[in-house]
Structures are given as structure tokens and as C-alpha cells.
Amino acid sequence: MCIASWVLLLCVSCASFSEKHSRTLLLNRNTGEIKECTVDRWRTEQSYKAYQECIGSYEKQGYSIWNQY
């Protein structure tokens, strides 16, 4: 029982590290405005590319990454 619990805990913790984040909140420190970039639910390579472009676009406008998950 103890070994099974340890293995389950190990698998769960490894899974959380291997996942890419799919949501980013960006903050404009001058205005306090928050913008959001997300990956669509299909999580394709194209979706992640669009997600990175969204983040880059807001960073060029003066936003900084506030949180990612």
C-alpha cells in the first residue's frame, strides 16, 4: 500500500512538470490593465505558436508576464 501511494505521488508530480503552460496573464504596470493569452483546447503545435505570438505582441506593447499556468 505504501509503495503504491509513493508511485502514484511520483507519477502525479512528474506529470505536472511535463505539461506546458497554456494560459498567460500579462500586466501593463503603467495602466494596471491585464491581458490574457491562452492555447485553444486542441493544444496543437499551431495553437502554441499563436499563443507565443500573442504573448510577444503584448510584450511589445509594454506588458510584462504576470502569471503563467
Side-chain angles (χ1 to χ4, degrees), residues 3-63:
I3 293 174
S5 297
W6 183 79
V7 170
L8 179 61
L9 180 63
L10 182 62
C11 291
V12 170
S13 61
C14 289
S16 65
F17 289 116
S18 66
E19 291 222 13
K20 296 179 184 179
H21 53 79
S22 60
R23 185 174 183 207
T24 298
L25 299 176
L26 298 105
L27 172 68
N28 184 319
R29 296 190 186 276
N30 295 326
T31 65
E33 191 174 7
I34 295 174
K35 297 292 184 178
E36 177 182 14
C37 295
T38 58
V39 177
D40 69 20
R41 66 177 143 160
W42 304 114
R43 297 180 185 242
T44 62
E45 187 176 324
Q46 185 63 28
S47 299
Y48 278 100
K49 183 178 179 186
Y51 171 64
Q52 291 300 326
E53 289 172 357
C54 177
I55 294 168
S57 173
Y58 282 122
E59 286 179 324
K60 286 179 184 174
Q61 295 175 46
Y63 288 80

